[in-house]
Structure formats: structure tokens, C-alpha cells
Amino acid sequence: MIAGEFEFFAPKTLAEALTLLHTHHSGCRLLAGGMTLVPVMTLGLAQPGVIVSLNHVSGLDGVEDRGTTLRLGAMTRHATVGSHPLILEHAPLLAAAARAIGDVQVRHRGTLGGSLAHAEPAADYLCATATLGARFLLQKHGGERWLSADAFFVDVMTTALAPDELLSAIEIPKQAAGSGYAHQRLRRVEGAFPTVLAAAQIAPRGGPARLGLGGVAPRPVVLDIGEVLGNGVTPAALDEIGTRAFDAARHALADLNGSTDYRRAMARVCARRAVAAAADMLAPGGR
Ligand SMILES: Cc1cc2nc3c(=O)[nH]c(=O)nc-3n(C[C@H](O)[C@H](O)[C@H](O)COP(=O)(O)OP(=O)(O)OC[C@H]3O[C@@H](n4cnc5c(N)ncnc54)[C@H](O)[C@@H]3O)c2cc1C
């Protein structure tokens, strides 16, 4: 049960939603899929005086082809992200991340924007969007700005969103045809958040190669591994990538799911597996 009263608004347009945020921003929370907000309110950890639901705002969901990028509305549900033909073709790493989330109910209610705005460090989308070089569109009454993942994710469950801003869209660069990718996650209980994640995105023929790590720092960590793979995906290269992941996780936060040492060790394992799996998808001689 949710104790405490709140006013509830269900605007139908983005302009209305932004005006409501502008008017009520201090005690206001946006409601997307409610998969995180509702339990948090039920536990009494948040008691907003005003809720603005984004569920009836037109134009905030869906996937558009914008030439060299895909633009995804913040209210796009995980189930859609995981199965949309444009995402499967041009950013399949993101689709793999979406399909790995929670269970079928969570995937049909939860949204891309809700997960990114909540910014749980081990959330599947944080690692995937940062690895893919995504940009984030923040809008408010009378203004908007685009941020990189590096600028958007600030700290544990903290983003650059101001109280009167909402995340309205996410732009993902289309990945080169023939790229390899992998989304590796370690979770200890079915349906739960992962403890450590690694995402690899490797372009063919010496193109960009990136490794993202999640759950090992307050924000996603992205390593450029193009140079390490200069002589191909050799055992020595995988060793070096494992060592870099282990180093990058040196400040991993400890919790009930794992100590700092455990997360570092698992970062090494997940990183090696992600890069090896992504490399396996490249055509022979593709790197
Ligand atoms: C059982 C269970 C298992 C889960 N397992 C996983 C998992 O394995 N991996 C994983 O990554 N996640 C997992 N999740 C989290 C899930 O992905 C949620 O969908 C997500 O964290 C929140 O998205 P939401 O759309 O439900 O947002 P909400 O709960 O509605 O909102 C979350 C927060 O974001 C704010 N917000 C929402 N939308 C916007 C916006 N557009 N702009 C600005 N602020 C906004 C809200 O005000 C609120 O503070 C799980 C959740 C549950 C309940």
C-alpha cells in the first residue's frame, strides 16, 4: 500500500507534461512503467506530492530511423526495444540488453527512459547505451539539451536531469554492418538485477571496438579496446582486456551481491567472455 496522498496528472502531450513539471518540479515525480517508482513509494522511500504519468503522452515512444542513428522515445517498453526490427538490425546489443531484463511483466511495463533516469549502476541499459555511444535528449518547458552518456550518468542513481527536465529520447548511432556484439551479465537469482555486466561492440576491419562494464563503478565504464585488438582477438589480447576490466573495477561498490574483490574478478571474466563472443560473430578475418 502507498501511504500518503499525492496529486495525479495524466497529460496527453509533451508540452502539457513539461508545463506540469515546470509548475510542480520540487515535489513531483514522473511515472513511466512504475516498475521502480511504485515499489519505492510502497516502501515509503519516496513520497512525492505530485505524480505526472507519461503513459498517455503521445509521441514519447517508438523507434525512428534517422539516417545514421536510431531515435528511441523514452517511453519505449523493454519488450519493444528487444524485438524491434530497426534495433535488431542496427543496434542489436541494445536489443540483447532489453531481452535480458527481469521477467516478462517487467519487460512489458518498464521503459527505456525510466531505467536510464533511475540510473541503477547495474541496470542493463546503462552499460549498453554507454557502450553504443548513445546521446540523451533532455527537455524542459522552454528548452532542451543533448548529453553524451558520460555527461548524463553522474553517480549512483543520479543523472544530469534537473528537477524540471525529463528524458524524452535516446539516440543510438547505427553500428557498422558485420559488427560483433555481446551482452554478458552475471546474476545470482533469476529475474534479479545483474551483479556485473560487460558489453562488447566490435566493428569489422579494424573499426572501433568498445567494452562497457556495469555494476563495477557508480557509472558505466567504457574502454576503447581497438588498439588491444590490433593483432586480432588473440589469447594475449583477451588477457590484456581482462586485466583492464579488473583495473577499471577497482572502486566497485560492495553490497549483498558481492564484495569489491568479487566484482573485480567477475568483471575480468565477463569482459573476456563478452569480447570473445563478439569476436566470434565477426566474419572470418573480419577484424
Ligand atoms: C522484478 C524486477 C526485476 C528487474 N530486473 C531488472 C534487470 O534485470 N535489469 C534491469 O536493468 N532492470 C531491471 N528492473 C528494473 C526495470 O528495468 C525498470 O523498468 C526500470 O528500472 C524503471 O523503469 P520504469 O519505466 O518502470 O520507470 P519508473 O519506475 O516509472 O520510474 C523510475 C524513475 O525514473 C523517473 N523517470 C521515469 N521516466 C522518466 C523520464 N522519461 N524522464 C525523467 N525521469 C523519468 C521516475 O520519476 C522514477 O524516479 C527490474 C525491475 C523489477 C520490478
Side-chain angles (χ1 to χ4, degrees):
M1 191 183 97
I2 295 179
E5 294 187 2
F6 53 85
E7 272 187 279
F8 183 85
F9 296 94
K12 295 209 164 42
T13 65
L14 181 59
E16 273 179 76
L18 295 176
T19 303
L20 283 163
L21 257 187
H22 179 69
T23 311
H24 300 284
H25 59 81
S26 47
C28 172
R29 291 293 276 272
L30 295 167
L31 174 71
M35 293 292 96
T36 298
L37 183 60
V38 173
V40 161
M41 288 176 67
T42 306
L43 291 169
L45 299 174
Q47 292 185 319
V50 176
I51 298 276
V52 176
S53 169
L54 299 177
N55 285 276
H56 302 284
V57 175
S58 62
L60 265 192
D61 65 349
V63 183
E64 275 177 50
D65 190 331
R66 295 256 175 158
T68 57
T69 61
L70 297 180
R71 189 178 288 194
L72 283 66
M75 285 298 290
T76 310
R77 313 270 169 190
H78 308 329
T80 303
V81 176
S83 60
H84 197 285
L86 283 172
I87 303 177
L88 291 172
E89 182 177 355
H90 299 294
L93 171 60
L94 188 70
R99 288 195 302 274
I101 293 174
D103 53 37
V104 77
Q105 289 97 331
V106 173
R107 291 194 291 276
H108 279 83
R109 283 305 304 168
T111 66
L112 175 62
S115 176
L116 294 167
H118 185 58
E120 150 67 46
D124 288 271
Y125 287 141
L126 270 67
C127 183
T129 54
T131 306
L132 288 166
R135 295 197 311 145
F136 302 82
L137 177 58
L138 282 54
Q139 288 190 283
K140 66 176 182 179
H141 182 67
E144 66 175 47
R145 56 186 176 138
W146 281 98
L147 295 182
S148 66
D150 196 38
F152 181 74
F153 299 117
V154 172
D155 206 337
V156 176
M157 294 184 189
T158 308
T159 67
L161 279 162
D164 63 343
E165 281 181 319
L166 63 73
L167 174 62
S168 63
I170 296 90
E171 196 167 77
I172 310 276
K174 288 183 182 174
Q175 305 303 305
S179 294
Y181 67 92
H183 180 72
Q184 285 282 323
R185 62 207 297 276
L186 173 80
R187 70 175 165 191
R188 305 181 81 170
V189 179
E190 188 60 33
F193 265 85
T195 304
V196 170
L197 301 135
Q201 180 72 43
I202 305 178
R205 296 173 292 282
R210 287 186 300 272
L211 171 72
L213 299 169
V216 302
R219 321 185 298 146
V221 174
V222 180
L223 306 176
D224 179 348
I225 53 168
E227 207 184 302
V228 187
L229 299 181
N231 293 323
V233 188
T234 60
L238 289 178
D239 283 349
E240 173 62 21
I241 284 164
T243 301
R244 289 190 185 193
F246 184 77
D247 286 347
R250 63 190 173 283
H251 300 304
L253 298 175
D255 64 15
L256 287 175
N257 290 316
S259 63
T260 300
D261 287 347
Y262 178 72
R263 283 174 193 262
R264 291 187 82 185
M266 292 303 105
R268 186 199 294 275
V269 172
C270 290
R272 289 181 59 114
R273 286 183 185 168
V275 173
D280 275 352
M281 296 177 80
L282 295 168
R287 182 75 197 155

